[in-house]
Amino acid sequence: MSETGTREPETRDIRLKRLRIRSWRRGTREMDMLLGPFADEGLAALDEGMLAAYEDLLEVNDWDLYAWMSGKAEATLPHAPLVAHIRAWHRI
């Protein structure tokens, strides 16, 4: 925090670290194994818009997200393109 008590803007490196931690600590081991490796190796390549979409994706319930990632259910918009990207990264 700055001297005025306001939070300083988050740098890209800090944002990536925060997203990696959230990806590895989802609450279910299955989602940790799907999102953690992607976050470690694939997040840095995403542009700012895709990073914002990834942050939104992390708010999705684990069971819904797992169904999308495993192909048991179709991902809803606006998450479908990013889910497809992560699935392609994993080659699933």
Side-chain angles (χ1 to χ4, degrees):
M1 289 217 184
S2 69
E3 291 177 14
T4 62
T6 59
R7 183 168 279 190
E8 300 201 16
E10 184 177 55
T11 66
R12 182 172 172 86
D13 287 338
I14 301 270
R15 185 180 191 189
L16 291 173
K17 280 183 184 180
R18 179 175 53 79
L19 292 174
R20 278 200 253 0
I21 289 168
R22 288 189 62 204
S23 298
W24 277 106
R25 290 173 176 81
R26 291 291 304 173
T28 63
R29 187 73 178 146
E30 295 85 355
M31 289 314 306
D32 292 351
M33 296 311 297
L34 287 169
L35 294 181
F38 173 77
D40 286 347
E41 296 181 24
L43 277 186
L46 300 182
D47 64 23
E48 291 303 313
M50 289 290 276
L51 277 179
Y54 189 79
E55 282 185 285
D56 291 342
L57 187 71
L58 291 178
E59 298 300 321
V60 172
N61 166 308
D62 272 356
W63 298 114
D64 292 337
L65 190 51
Y66 182 75
W68 298 347
M69 292 293 179
S70 66
K72 293 182 182 189
E74 192 170 322
T76 60
L77 288 176
H79 303 297
L82 186 55
V83 168
H85 179 78
I86 296 168
R87 285 175 49 97
W89 185 88
H90 277 288
R91 295 182 179 101
I92 0 183

